[in-house]
Amino acid sequence: MVGADQHGGENPWIPEVPLLRYFPLVRAFRRHIVGRPALFFPFARLTGNRQLLDHDTELVVDGFPRSGNSFAEAAFLHSQRARGIALKSHAHSPAQILRAMDKGVAAVLLLRDPDDAVASMIAASGVDQPDIHYRDYCAYYRPLKGREAGFVITPFALLLERFDLVVQAINARFGMALDTPEVHDEFVQSVNSVRDRVSIARVGRAPNYSPHSEWGVAGNRAGQAAILTRLGTLDGLPSRQAALKLHAYFAAHVDTLSAGDPA
């Protein structure tokens, strides 16, 4: 059985029993199909995933979980509200990016440092098994290596701080005419409000990193910082080293137009 996902009804990767989703065979199956569109899409449709690219989709935005997916979705919805945008996000599968490339649909790949992403995953899920999360990170990005000409790579800091450059890179790469917003405090606040409203509408609560979340942002950040410190000591973990190398590879291929100083 599958469980509720905050970004599309039912998610094929979230069984109702929380620990079951991290059962070794479940994770191995997911890693096997997540980068293969011919396998991923039929299974995802069968399990009710509503975040899949379709014939109306203008833009696909996707990334490993905890890499700014919700902020990106909200930023596009808010910045393009005058023209509207047919957007698909939160598939959390490289197959979504690969299918977009095959269909000639503009695509954005979100990229976050694996230590930061894994620390956030552990804090949010309560599953303190770094090796599993690093393996999942590798399974996400490895199928896209060498295909970077087909999507715009967007680092986490750039997404949060210079979203205007992200939009400019998309327009330049794909010949789109998306509205380029002015990024300032008011814009970020509006995007965060949209993000929270979308999350509340889907699952009844704001994300755990929102000031409006009952999870408690201060406690979440403190816990995540402690986890991050511990992850930094795992130099001998092969999956972590592989994830760090993949991140470095994609970071080196960020579009020139979107690689400006985010400060």
Side-chain angles (χ1 to χ4, degrees), residues 6-7 66 69-71 73-74 90 124 191-217 220:
Q6 64 176 325
H7 303 294
R66 319 303 292 186
N69 292 271
S70 295
F71 184 91
E73 178 190 33
H90 290 88
V191 169
N192 286 336
S193 294
V194 172
R195 178 204 64 200
D196 287 357
R197 288 199 302 271
V198 170
S199 181
I200 290 170
R202 285 171 173 163
V203 298
R205 60 173 172 78
N208 67 311
Y209 42 79
S210 167
H212 304 105
S213 172
E214 68 274 19
W215 292 40
V217 135
N220 179 66

